[in-house]
Amino acid sequence: MQVQGSNSASTTVGNAATQIEIEGQAGDSNDQYLTFIMADEEYGVDILCVQEIRGWESATPLPNAPTHIKGVINLRGTIVPIIDLRQCFGLEAIEYTAVTVVIVLKVKTEEGSRIMGMVVDAVSDVYALAQSEMRSAPDLGNAVNTDFIKGLVNVNDRMVILLDIDKLLTLDDVKSISKLTADMVSEAKS
Amino acid sequence: MSIDLSQFHQVFFEESIEGLDIMESALMELDVAEVDHEIINSIFRAAHSIKGGSATFGFKSVSDFTHDLETILDQVRDGRRNISKNDIDIFLQSVDCMREMISLLQAGEDGSTESTVELQKQFARMLENEQSEVPGQNAEEQTQQAEAQDCLATIKFVPNKEILQTGNDVVRMFLELQEFAEIVDIKCNTALPAFSEFNPEECFLSWELVVRSDRKENEILSCFEWVSDDALIEYVPQTSTTGASPSDAIAAQGLSSEGSTTESLSSNSVDVAQAKTLAEKEKQEKPKARAATGNKTTASESGSIRVGIDKIDNLINMVGELVITQSMLGQLGTDFEVNQLPKLVEGLGQLEQNTRELQESVMRIRMLPISFTFSRFPRMVRDLSQKLGKNAHLEMHGEQTELDKTVMEKIGDPLVHLVRNAVDHGIEMPADRLAQGKNETGTVTLNAYHQSGNVVIEIADDGKGLDRDMLVSKAVDKGVINQNEADLLSDEQVFDLIFHPGFSTAKEISDVSGRGVGMDVVKKNIQALNGAVELKSEKGAGSTITIRLPLTLAILDGQLVRVGGNIYIFPLVSIVESMQYKEGQVNEIAGGCNVFRLRDDYVPIVELHRAFGVHCDEQENALMVVVESDGEKVGIVVDELLAQQQVVIKSLEQNYRRVDGVSGATILGDGTVALILDIPGIVKLAGENFKAGQAFIASRKQNDLHQQQAVG
């Protein structure tokens, strides 16, 4: 797991790298984003959506579910589905280890909020980012759906892709994104 | 400053609906021959509260309507009017009408309906008749009234300081008074304390009113009925006709000082925010619910329940015990030594007991007596038997039997249908009954009781019972069974036919039966609650329908099974038997579907690992669980049977979505999630998988063919 030093908020990593508490608040005008790494690319999600970060534990598989739905886990009495974001984005699947991280998110949907877990490679950092720093995602025409990308942002010469979690994890769309994202990431890089 | 009264509307609606329920049940109890004053009083009180409330909130349509009703009721109360069966019918109609008006108001519409106008006309007629009747009957009273014609009276009204805190509004009372009497003069006396002791929520005013009226004392004072305990009220008739001239200044003073005190009302309100959110929520939910259920009573839709204080106290005790156990275990844990092990085991045992008791008490909070559902039946049976020209009497037993609120809400409609059926199809016409030597009045009995962790509801009638021959001929007509089969069926199997979709024994569709809720829907609804329904009938003696329901929907008796590395849970109620799965007894019939020979029967087989696409052990040691779904037996192949235990049902849909073949999930003792199987769903799934498999094979064959062609 990869944890970088942080500039605006302090992150403490638990023993088994299972739990990260985020403290401190940045300026009011800035939104805070939790970033994570997947296939050497850094992604960010609005920290207010993040409920907790946990280590991977085996999930109960659901019958006839798409491959990126890993199953459900017991989160203190609530049944929470786990999504592999790698597989969801059409990236190569990797084996889960003790340090694989699940980000538990609260997603707003039309029927109310739901809780979901998202398997990522590693949690990276917390940034306070102003709306003005954000660049909109490149318009790739109708071929690629970029609705779930809130914007791109440059932090320390690294590009961070900010995801709109509410749109990303609306389950019906998840599948359609799969491959498109991979294309988009590679294009955004070039 | 005006206060937003709309935040209290929801409370008013709920109270009014409760009041209407009281009125309705009291009216049902009312015996025309011997009028019980207590019952009349309770009807009057309910009507009066609704009137007062609706006037306060400015629902003029309701308050006008109830006012007329109240006037008639008042006459009944005073013994000035005899009540007839017809009157009770009108009152019952008024209750329905008010219910409708209130639900209209709830939807934010104006409350008047056609029936309102119609009934108000009837009220007027009743009142007119009364006026022409009374003078002949009661000469004394007439003279009294005549005397009262020009009577001036002084009413001294000295409220207690707390009167405003109970939500009473003096201005409204005076306005109401004006309906009875002309207020000639208002004198307002103030008894203001020193400023330091002044409390804006208290009332320091008292009034002297001079009124001119032709009404009697008690009628005039009825305006003050709500506050009679909180105020000193004196009525002094004046003999002199030279009343003091109206003093506008004083009146104005009295009214304006009132205006300021009404503001304090808002600060008295309890949980304003809560009431508001509730009201908003209700507003959002109501239209949907209304659309779905039409004009049914709204009482069952409200999202709150009243819980007895004893239940809450009990719960608090349990939590107290839990805290003690927890602290004991905590202490034990801080410096634990091996020789304390027995103590630890004991502590854990205690914890288990505490938890179980706590769970049971919490469940009990959701339990309501079944009388909430039963209460609508007396009225229904009465109306229905009148309409059909039958004499039917409803007996109810075990109204206090408690049932989970959710279960109760869902069982309401099926029960209505069954009771309706009992009156419509079961009970014969009075003449027929007499001819058969039965009592002219048929009896429908509703009985509810607990039996081995289930709630049993019985609907019995002493009517004509089911006619086997008629059922059989109907079933043959509709092609449900053929004649050969029919002769072999047992009575129970024949009676079961009425639960078959598309099977109605009603000869014609009336507005009583044939409303689209067939017996098959009743059965389906009950099965959806994990319940069962049974029918016993004897020709000429009546039928009994027995419904068995689980106490609650939140907990399920489950059989844990293992398939490969996964654990699944079967609802115990659906399991018929389990047995060794022997390949030799499996036959493949046309279409690739496997069946298993179970004694004289063949049951289709579903291999769970295949239906769910998971790995399994070797088939040699496999077991088969025979389950029943929709009357069909199906064998489900699993690897191993594990324990039986009660499981708490958790929703998958809350955070995910519906999964075919799975009705929910639960958390096992080790913290992992296990899925609860949806038996009808699995059967369907197996069928679909089978089709998909066929399609796959077909497409592969076609590919092979193409390849061969390409090679060729």
Side-chain angles (χ1 to χ4, degrees):
Chain A
M1 175 172 168
Q2 173 185 359
V3 177
Q4 298 179 342
S6 67
N7 30 16
S8 61
S10 66
T11 60
T12 46
V13 182
N15 255 357
T18 53
Q19 200 98 30
I20 296 182
E21 286 175 39
I22 294 140
E23 294 159 3
Q25 290 285 321
D28 292 331
S29 63
N30 294 341
D31 290 331
Q32 284 190 311
Y33 289 88
L34 176 80
T35 64
F36 54 88
I37 308 284
M38 245 174 24
D40 293 330
E41 210 55 58
E42 199 169 359
Y43 298 85
V45 290
D46 187 351
I47 206 160
L48 295 175
C49 298
V50 178
Q51 189 174 317
E52 65 184 90
I53 300 164
R54 342 172 16 103
W56 161 259
E57 56 181 284
S58 69
T60 304
L62 293 167
N64 305 316
T67 46
H68 62 266
I69 307 282
K70 292 284 120 191
V72 288
I73 60 159
N74 161 25
L75 185 75
R76 292 181 296 277
T78 315
I79 308 290
V80 174
I82 303 292
I83 292 165
D84 186 328
L85 205 60
R86 259 179 175 267
Q87 274 165 294
C88 186
F89 280 3
L91 303 174
E92 201 181 319
I94 52 163
E95 209 173 303
Y96 298 150
T97 62
V99 292
T100 305
V101 176
V102 177
I103 303 177
V104 180
L105 299 155
K106 198 173 229 173
V107 187
K108 284 196 198 76
T109 64
E110 280 166 16
E111 300 109 58
S113 68
R114 1 168 119 139
I115 298 168
M116 285 190 203
M118 197 164 78
V119 182
V120 300
D121 289 4
V123 172
S124 169
D125 210 334
V126 176
Y127 300 123
L129 301 172
Q131 194 71 36
S132 56
E133 293 172 51
M134 227 177 273
R135 301 283 167 271
S136 61
D139 185 3
L140 301 175
N142 288 335
V144 180
N145 181 6
T146 55
D147 274 356
F148 61 91
I149 295 187
K150 212 184 229 174
L152 305 176
V153 102
N154 207 342
V155 181
N156 304 335
D157 282 341
R158 273 179 68 98
M159 187 190 73
V160 176
I161 305 160
L162 301 180
L163 301 173
D164 188 335
I165 276 308
D166 298 347
K167 287 186 182 134
L168 176 64
L169 294 185
T170 313
L171 281 164
D172 301 332
D173 301 338
V174 163
K175 217 172 179 182
S176 66
I177 304 167
S178 305
K179 277 195 157 180
L180 307 176
T181 316
D183 304 345
M184 209 215 63
V185 169
S186 58
E187 260 187 62
K189 265 190 214 168
S190 58
Chain B
M1 187 184 119
S2 68
I3 30 168
D4 181 18
L5 281 173
S6 62
Q7 61 202 8
F8 304 112
H9 283 181
Q10 191 51 38
V11 180
F12 164 69
F13 294 142
E14 272 172 26
E15 277 184 4
S16 303
I17 285 164
E18 270 172 34
L20 289 171
D21 288 345
I22 292 169
M23 277 173 79
E24 187 170 53
S25 55
L27 281 167
M28 296 301 300
E29 273 175 50
L30 199 60
D31 188 357
V32 181
E34 198 180 331
V35 175
D36 183 341
H37 267 266
E38 203 34 60
I39 295 178
I40 294 281
N41 277 339
S42 67
I43 299 173
F44 182 82
R45 273 196 299 270
H48 189 74
S49 322
I50 295 171
K51 175 186 145 185
S54 52
T56 312
F57 292 114
F59 297 138
K60 199 163 176 315
S61 50
V62 178
S63 67
D64 286 354
F65 184 83
T66 20
H67 177 75
D68 292 350
L69 179 66
E70 196 190 351
T71 318
I72 298 172
L73 283 169
D74 190 35
Q75 289 170 358
V76 177
R77 191 169 67 150
D78 293 351
R80 279 185 286 138
R81 167 183 283 278
N82 289 326
I83 199 158
S84 70
K85 205 153 185 227
N86 192 27
D87 292 342
I88 294 187
D89 280 341
I90 291 176
F91 290 150
L92 283 173
Q93 278 169 25
S94 334
V95 170
D96 286 346
C97 174
M98 284 198 280
R99 235 184 229 135
E100 218 170 291
M101 287 159 92
I102 285 168
S103 64
L104 278 175
L105 287 170
Q106 245 169 330
E109 294 165 35
D110 179 51
S112 318
T113 61
E114 281 170 33
S115 54
T116 318
V117 181
E118 191 53 44
L119 280 163
Q120 267 176 326
K121 273 185 204 152
Q122 286 201 25
F123 290 154
R125 262 202 300 279
M126 283 168 86
L127 285 168
E128 266 170 36
N129 286 347
E130 185 262 342
Q131 268 169 1
S132 56
E133 274 169 32
V134 163
Q137 279 179 348
N138 202 334
E140 199 182 321
E141 201 169 298
Q142 191 195 8
T143 48
Q144 233 181 28
Q145 276 194 338
E147 259 175 36
Q149 207 75 52
D150 311 292
C151 196
L152 273 179
T154 311
I155 300 172
K156 215 169 167 191
F157 177 55
V158 187
N160 290 353
K161 281 185 196 163
E162 294 80 23
I163 190 159
L164 298 171
Q165 286 163 10
T166 51
N168 289 300
D169 183 344
V170 184
V171 175
R172 295 233 170 244
M173 278 185 251
F174 290 172
L175 287 177
E176 200 181 330
L177 183 64
Q178 271 179 325
E179 287 174 25
F180 298 111
E182 184 195 339
I183 299 178
V184 182
D185 186 18
I186 299 181
K187 243 185 245 165
C188 180
N189 304 321
T190 55
L192 283 178
F195 190 72
S196 56
E197 287 164 37
F198 184 80
N199 182 346
E201 287 182 19
E202 288 182 347
C203 175
F204 299 101
L205 304 174
S206 60
W207 290 269
E208 262 177 57
L209 300 144
V210 179
V211 294
R212 179 184 291 145
S213 170
D214 55 350
R215 307 287 184 115
K216 285 195 302 170
E217 176 182 345
N218 56 1
E219 223 172 312
I220 293 171
L221 291 186
S222 69
C223 312
F224 298 104
E225 197 165 62
W226 278 16
V227 293
S228 54
D229 293 339
D230 299 327
L232 179 81
I233 301 160
E234 264 177 40
Y235 180 88
V236 187
Q238 282 182 358
T239 39
S240 79
T241 47
T242 52
S245 63
S247 162
D248 289 330
I250 293 173
Q253 186 195 345
L255 288 171
S256 65
S257 61
E258 249 317 297
S260 63
T261 42
T262 46
E263 284 168 22
S264 59
L265 248 178
S266 63
S267 52
N268 292 338
S269 61
V270 189
D271 279 351
V272 174
Q274 196 188 343
K276 200 168 186 176
T277 49
L278 239 176
E280 271 165 21
K281 208 173 146 200
E282 289 282 341
K283 258 184 218 157
Q284 288 164 356
E285 285 172 4
K286 276 286 143 63
K288 269 192 226 159
R290 269 170 58 82
T293 58
N295 280 338
K296 285 200 192 79
T297 49
T298 42
S300 57
E301 289 161 20
S302 62
S304 61
I305 48 174
R306 290 192 175 188
V307 181
I309 198 84
D310 54 326
K311 284 183 179 174
I312 302 277
D313 282 347
N314 198 4
L315 203 61
I316 289 171
N317 278 343
M318 305 240 169
V319 174
E321 271 176 52
L322 192 69
V323 169
I324 293 167
T325 313
Q326 185 267 327
S327 69
M328 185 192 85
L329 285 172
Q331 215 168 35
L332 209 61
T334 40
D335 40 10
F336 184 74
E337 283 164 34
V338 178
N339 58 10
Q340 287 173 308
L341 197 62
K343 229 177 165 184
L344 181 70
V345 172
E346 189 193 326
L348 287 173
Q350 212 169 325
L351 185 70
E352 190 193 328
Q353 194 184 344
N354 285 153
T355 319
R356 202 175 41 236
E357 280 176 3
L358 192 64
Q359 187 190 25
E360 277 170 17
S361 326
V362 174
M363 288 296 168
R364 227 169 283 144
I365 284 194
R366 283 188 61 87
M367 304 289 238
L368 293 172
I370 201 158
S371 55
F372 278 81
T373 307
F374 277 10
S375 60
R376 61 174 121 154
F377 292 130
R379 171 84 194 278
M380 204 185 85
V381 169
R382 180 183 181 278
D383 287 358
L384 203 57
S385 51
Q386 255 176 15
K387 190 185 277 172
L388 297 167
K390 296 179 178 182
N391 284 342
H393 165 71
L394 182 74
E395 258 179 43
M396 295 194 290
H397 302 290
E399 290 116 302
Q400 291 309 310
T401 310
E402 291 195 327
L403 188 59
D404 187 276
K405 187 173 183 283
T406 333
V407 179
M408 186 127 60
E409 277 167 6
K410 292 192 177 146
I411 198 66
D413 287 343
L415 274 182
V416 166
H417 187 75
L418 292 173
V419 173
R420 217 180 258 280
N421 265 359
V423 178
D424 192 16
H425 306 316
I427 307 283
E428 310 93 328
M429 299 303 281
D432 295 347
R433 288 185 68 90
L434 284 174
Q436 286 177 40
K438 288 186 192 175
N439 190 334
E440 196 183 353
T441 307
T443 307
V444 178
T445 316
L446 272 175
N447 192 8
Y449 54 91
H450 286 250
Q451 192 183 61
S452 60
N454 285 318
V455 173
V456 182
I457 304 170
E458 286 177 356
I459 300 114
D461 65 72
D462 63 349
K464 56 178 174 250
L466 287 175
D467 187 339
R468 185 196 155 107
D469 299 337
M470 201 188 88
L471 281 173
V472 168
S473 69
K474 198 120 203 193
V476 173
D477 271 4
K478 301 223 165 175
V480 180
I481 50 169
N482 62 42
Q483 192 61 49
N484 297 341
E485 280 175 325
D487 298 335
L488 297 171
L489 291 178
S490 68
D491 276 0
E492 274 100 69
Q493 282 169 314
V494 172
F495 296 154
D496 257 0
L497 287 172
I498 68 164
F499 296 116
H500 203 279
F503 197 94
S504 168
T505 49
K507 291 205 182 84
E508 58 196 73
I509 288 171
S510 64
D511 80 325
V512 176
S513 47
R515 282 174 179 240
V517 197
M519 289 295 269
D520 61 314
V521 179
V522 169
K523 187 167 186 178
K524 226 171 251 165
N525 282 354
I526 290 165
Q527 279 177 338
L529 295 168
N530 281 324
V533 55
E534 249 168 65
L535 195 145
K536 276 192 208 113
S537 182
E538 199 177 316
K539 197 178 171 189
S543 348
T544 304
I545 293 170
T546 311
I547 300 171
R548 248 166 245 280
L549 291 169
L551 273 178
T552 167
L553 292 181
I555 289 189
L556 176 109
D557 277 314
Q559 166 73 57
L560 274 59
V561 302
R562 186 178 61 80
V563 179
N566 299 299
I567 292 175
Y568 299 104
I569 293 158
F570 279 85
L572 208 53
V573 284
S574 61
I575 299 181
V576 181
E577 59 186 310
S578 317
M579 63 186 66
Q580 282 284 328
Y581 176 71
K582 294 192 199 83
E583 295 274 359
Q585 281 167 295
V586 177
N587 297 307
E588 191 173 317
I589 56 167
C593 181
N594 286 343
V595 292
F596 182 89
R597 189 154 49 82
L598 178 72
R599 289 182 287 276
D600 294 338
D601 233 353
Y602 286 97
V603 294
I605 293 173
V606 177
E607 286 165 341
L608 201 57
H609 62 93
R610 225 172 262 178
F612 278 6
V614 293
H615 293 291
C616 66
D617 294 358
E618 282 179 29
Q619 289 287 298
E620 278 169 31
N621 299 322
L623 294 170
M624 190 174 75
V625 182
V626 180
V627 294
E628 199 171 322
S629 143
D630 284 339
E632 297 285 325
K633 280 186 186 146
V634 177
I636 296 181
V637 180
V638 301
D639 284 346
E640 192 185 355
L641 288 182
L642 304 171
Q644 285 180 7
Q645 69 179 65
Q646 286 203 326
V647 295
V648 178
I649 302 170
K650 301 266 179 183
S651 158
L652 264 182
E653 282 152 69
Q654 189 191 343
N655 289 324
Y656 188 55
R657 62 176 166 200
R658 237 198 89 70
V659 178
D660 288 332
V662 175
S663 65
T666 191
I667 294 161
L668 298 177
D670 62 356
T672 55
V673 180
L675 303 175
I676 301 167
L677 302 180
D678 167 28
I679 303 297
I682 287 180
V683 174
K684 218 177 107 198
L685 200 67
E688 277 165 15
N689 276 11
F690 166 72
K691 268 184 216 148
Q694 291 271 306
F696 177 69
I697 291 166
S699 71
R700 207 166 56 181
K701 271 185 191 156
Q702 208 140 37
N703 274 354
D704 287 351
L705 210 69
H706 282 306
Q707 274 172 2
Q708 276 173 3
Q709 281 170 346
V711 170

